[in-house]
Amino acid sequence: MNSKLLLFDIDGTLLSAHGVPKIAMATVLERRYQCFEYDTNYDFSGRTDPQIVEHLLQFDNREYSEDLTNEILGEFCIELHKEIVNDKKPVIHPGVCNLVEKLSITENVYLGLVTGNVSEGARIKLEAVDLQTYFPIGGFGDDSKDRNELPPIAKLRAEKYFSTKFHSNDIWIIGDSIYDVECAQKNGLRCLAVATGKTSTDKLIEANPEFIEEDLSELDKIQNILIHS
């Protein structure tokens, strides 16, 4: 069997932070700007953290730059950590713990991330639910604000970290949004979509992933898709 690289999204796929990131972001922006008009209808799902900051600043007619975005995201991670340690721990989605534990000890199967979270935000969320050790590499929002640019970055890191070459047909994106599906398609990778996030099953079907599941709880079925299909 060829080596498999399984790249998971975080929010909506592995876990749900139940609005805590929005609270943390609002805290930062309202502290920085007097009378900040926060776009409460904006859906963070599938977006990278830099995209989110830029959108929110544009919505309130504020100037923005890459340096400013990075400053805001640094403050955001501090607030995110504060919120999470104050009894607002993320909730792991069904089947995730059993699946990643099983996959992590499966020969020729390697785990990583492709997520819009900046790397520090990803670490904070995953450490809060004891999942960090399963995902030693990834592509993150601070690598690029364009999610579609993250899989090649994750692949290079994985090949260096695991000392293994991965072919496109053996690399999977596992995510809960249409942007995860698009990300896989744009990079010629395979995709398993899960309906555990905010995106409806119908919208996921329209995006045309190779496989779609309600969640990751059917261990044998999910393993068979990712490893043998």
Side-chain angles (χ1 to χ4, degrees):
M1 182 181 78
N2 292 339
S3 296
K4 306 286 185 178
L5 179 60
L6 311 180
L7 301 171
F8 287 79
D9 173 54
I10 295 179
D11 297 282
T13 302
L14 294 174
L15 56 81
S16 174
H18 290 302
V20 170
K22 283 190 174 183
I23 294 170
M25 186 65 73
T27 298
V28 171
L29 294 175
E30 289 167 5
R31 183 170 61 215
R32 274 181 165 263
Y33 301 100
Q34 187 175 17
C35 301
F36 188 85
E37 186 178 356
Y38 191 80
D39 185 1
T40 56
N41 294 319
Y42 184 59
D43 185 3
F44 284 23
S45 179
R47 312 289 187 177
T48 64
D49 284 350
Q51 282 179 322
I52 292 168
V53 172
E54 288 186 8
H55 171 84
L56 295 176
L57 292 176
Q58 287 178 312
F59 183 84
D60 196 40
N61 297 312
R62 307 284 180 172
E63 293 185 1
Y64 66 91
S65 66
E66 184 176 346
D67 287 344
L68 176 59
T69 295
N70 290 336
E71 286 181 18
I72 289 173
L73 287 172
E75 294 176 21
F76 163 75
C77 287
I78 293 171
E79 293 301 325
L80 178 66
H81 182 261
K82 288 179 183 177
E83 291 289 336
I84 285 176
V85 298
N86 289 330
D87 298 321
K88 294 181 180 177
K89 192 165 78 168
V91 175
I92 302 175
H93 285 303
V96 167
C97 289
N98 287 339
L99 179 64
V100 297
E101 183 176 358
K102 184 72 172 179
L103 292 172
S104 70
I105 58 174
T106 301
E107 188 176 6
N108 296 324
V109 174
Y110 303 89
L111 304 185
L113 301 167
V114 162
T115 173
N117 287 264
V118 292
S119 54
E120 177 65 6
R123 183 194 66 79
I124 291 168
K125 292 175 184 177
L126 293 177
E127 281 191 350
V129 291
D130 298 321
L131 290 179
Q132 174 70 7
T133 56
Y134 294 107
F135 303 100
I137 61 87
F140 303 93
D142 39 0
D143 293 314
S144 173
K145 68 179 181 181
D146 183 350
R147 178 181 284 271
N148 295 339
E149 294 181 356
L150 300 182
I153 294 170
K155 177 178 180 288
L156 287 174
R157 288 176 177 161
E159 290 180 337
K160 181 177 180 180
Y161 185 88
F162 297 118
S163 299
T164 302
K165 289 292 182 183
F166 300 100
H167 303 290
S168 295
N169 196 51
D170 297 310
I171 302 175
W172 286 81
I173 300 291
I174 301 97
D176 69 291
S177 80
I178 59 173
Y179 302 106
D180 296 299
V181 180
E182 177 187 284
C183 178
Q185 293 169 343
K186 293 286 188 181
N187 286 278
L189 308 180
R190 309 191 71 184
C191 184
L192 168 62
V194 289
T196 45
K198 294 183 178 179
T199 305
S200 69
T201 302
D202 288 343
K203 284 189 176 181
L204 288 175
I205 291 171
E206 288 176 10
N208 197 32
E210 285 187 78
F211 294 90
I212 182 168
E213 295 292 327
E214 287 302 311
D215 57 35
L216 297 172
S217 60
E218 293 191 52
L219 180 59
D220 291 341
K221 182 179 181 181
I222 301 299
Q223 277 191 290
N224 189 59
I225 289 172
L226 297 175
I227 298 173
H228 301 296
S229 62

